[in-house]
């Protein structure tokens, strides 16, 4: 499932070929993804110039001329495939295909169809039902230990669940929550409201560091992705606890544990993380 670093990598990859270009051709091959596509979706986008590509949490915001924002979420399995030229064969999961006036095309492929697209007037974007409740951007300067402390105050949910709550901090998913909690030596089971401020002072930089490292790993391989199979936004990164059940903790060498919290796997070191 694409998390913030994968979405950011996708955004950067798309920006290389879309920024300032006109959408010369666009086809939607079905009327809906997770939600129905807006009325006259393709017709509204066709011919407009891309002014900027931004990201908010796990949403890609394609700013189009005329004050319109094309909102994209990759859901569980959405991928953006970039290639030179219109694709020769369009598969059953290639739901939206578009191309720029320079001839680069993007195929939105989404087998499970949990992704979404919407068209929103720029002025209405902050009030959009999917964006309005989002907490601070983890990589922004206004995400500080004090802000996190205020958001967690009195919370009786485990730390793992609290950090997955998009109103606490936007865009964090399972992998990077596990990794950040390990780096900050905080137990994922600890009740969020009981984590002392000193620990939150470690956690906030840990969250920013794991995200930045993952973005860097994805970003450095962008060129290769475009040149080889055109797939943006997936990369190998070295996890310290995630998916390492039974392997030695990188700090104390005791085996990494896996537990299930709110239906999702949590990986952590029970010896280090308190
Ligand atoms: Zn350990």
């Amino acid at each position: 499932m694409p998390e913030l670093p994968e979405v950011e990598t996708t955004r950067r990859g798309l920006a290389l070929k879309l920024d300032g270009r006109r959408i010369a051709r666009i086809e939607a091959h079905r009327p809906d993804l997770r939600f129905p596509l807006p009325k006259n979706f393709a017709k509204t986008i066709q011919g407009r110039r891309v002014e900027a590509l931004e990201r908010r949490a796990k949403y890609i915001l394609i700013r189009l001329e005329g004050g319109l924002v094309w909102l994209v979420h990759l859901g569980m399995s959405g991928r953006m495939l970039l290639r030179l030229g219109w694709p020769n064969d369009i598969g059953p999961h290639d739901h939206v295909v578009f191309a720029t006036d320079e001839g680069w095309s993007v195929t939105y492929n989404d087998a499970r169809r949990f992704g979404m697209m919407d068209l929103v007037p720029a002025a209405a974007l902050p009030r959009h039902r999917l964006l309005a409740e989002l907490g601070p951007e983890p990589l922004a300067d206004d995400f500080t230990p004090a802000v996190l402390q205020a958001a967690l105050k009195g919370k009786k949910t485990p730390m793992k669940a609290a950090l997955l709550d998009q109103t606490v901090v936007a865009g964090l998913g399972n992998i990077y929550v596990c990794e950040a909690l390990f780096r900050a030596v905080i137990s994922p089971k600890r009740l969020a409201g009981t984590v002392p401020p000193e620990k939150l002072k470690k956690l906030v930089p840990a969250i920013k560091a794991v995200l930045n490292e993952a973005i860097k790993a994805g970003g450095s391989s962008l060129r290769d992705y475009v040149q080889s199979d055109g797939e943006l936004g997936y990369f190998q990164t070295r996890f310290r606890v995630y998916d390492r059940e039974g392997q030695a903790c990188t700090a104390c060498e005791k085996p990494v544990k896996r537990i299930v919290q709110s239906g999702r796997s949590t990986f952590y070191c029970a010896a280090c993380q308190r």
Side-chain angles (χ1 to χ4, degrees), residues 158-161 181 186-190 259 261 266 268 273:
M159 213 34 198
K160 167 80 183 300
L181 286 173
I186 298 170
S187 168
K189 297 196 287 188
R190 185 165 184 153
I259 54 170
Q261 290 180 295
T266 298
Y268 76 112
Q273 293 173 250

Side-chain angles (χ1 to χ4, degrees), residues 14-264:
L14 292 176
L16 293 174
K17 300 301 175 197
L18 299 188
D19 232 346
R21 306 315 316 178
R22 208 166 281 285
I23 306 294
R25 180 179 174 187
I26 173 164
E27 289 178 359
H29 297 125
R30 50 177 304 127
D32 59 344
L33 296 169
R34 182 174 193 171
F35 309 117
L37 291 171
K39 228 176 142 188
N40 297 322
F41 171 73
K43 210 191 256 180
T44 307
I45 292 170
Q46 184 150 331
R48 291 193 198 233
R49 207 172 63 86
V50 174
E51 290 180 337
L53 277 99
E54 296 167 6
R55 181 188 55 74
R56 173 74 173 112
K58 290 193 271 185
Y59 293 90
I60 295 171
L61 280 52
I62 306 174
R63 290 193 183 269
L64 301 171
E65 70 180 325
L68 198 63
V69 180
W70 179 0
L71 190 63
V72 180
H73 194 284
L74 302 174
M76 303 284 283
S77 58
R79 301 179 304 159
M80 301 285 234
L81 296 139
L82 187 61
R83 58 163 76 81
L84 191 55
W86 193 258
N88 290 324
D89 49 342
I90 288 170
H93 304 301
D94 295 341
H95 305 310
V96 176
V97 183
F98 61 97
T100 69
D101 50 358
E102 268 191 331
W104 284 87
S105 73
V106 176
T107 300
Y108 178 81
N109 172 287
D110 187 356
R112 297 180 65 182
R113 245 188 313 119
F114 279 107
M116 60 78 63
M117 290 189 187
D118 200 0
L119 292 171
V120 193
L125 198 66
R127 299 189 309 275
H128 190 276
R129 66 190 170 90
L130 297 170
L131 302 183
E133 303 300 320
L134 289 175
E137 250 333 279
L139 291 174
D141 292 340
D142 62 2
F143 180 59
T144 63
V147 164
L148 183 59
Q149 192 185 342
L152 297 180
K153 197 177 172 201
K155 268 203 186 280
K156 293 186 172 66
T157 50
M159 213 34 198
K160 167 80 183 300
L163 292 179
L164 287 176
D165 178 347
Q166 302 294 299
T167 66
V168 170
V169 53
L172 285 191
N174 207 32
I175 295 173
Y176 298 101
V177 166
C178 292
E179 292 293 310
L181 286 173
F182 174 74
R183 291 190 188 198
V185 293
I186 298 170
S187 168
K189 297 196 287 188
R190 185 165 184 153
L191 298 187
T194 71
V195 178
E198 315 84 76
K199 289 221 170 195
L200 298 181
K201 280 189 186 139
K202 276 191 174 180
L203 179 59
V204 168
I207 290 170
K208 292 177 193 274
V210 289
L211 293 175
N212 277 323
E213 285 169 28
I215 290 168
K216 209 173 156 201
S220 61
S221 52
L222 262 185
R223 196 175 297 267
D224 297 334
Y225 281 115
V226 172
Q227 285 173 354
S228 57
D229 62 357
E231 182 173 328
L232 295 172
Y234 290 82
F235 53 87
Q236 298 291 327
T237 186
R238 279 192 54 197
F239 301 130
R240 296 190 194 170
V241 280
Y242 187 81
D243 209 17
R244 295 191 68 241
E245 184 183 11
Q247 296 180 48
C249 166
T250 54
C252 74
E253 300 195 341
K254 292 205 171 68
V256 169
K257 276 195 170 180
R258 184 182 78 91
I259 54 170
V260 176
Q261 290 180 295
S262 359
R264 313 273 308 271

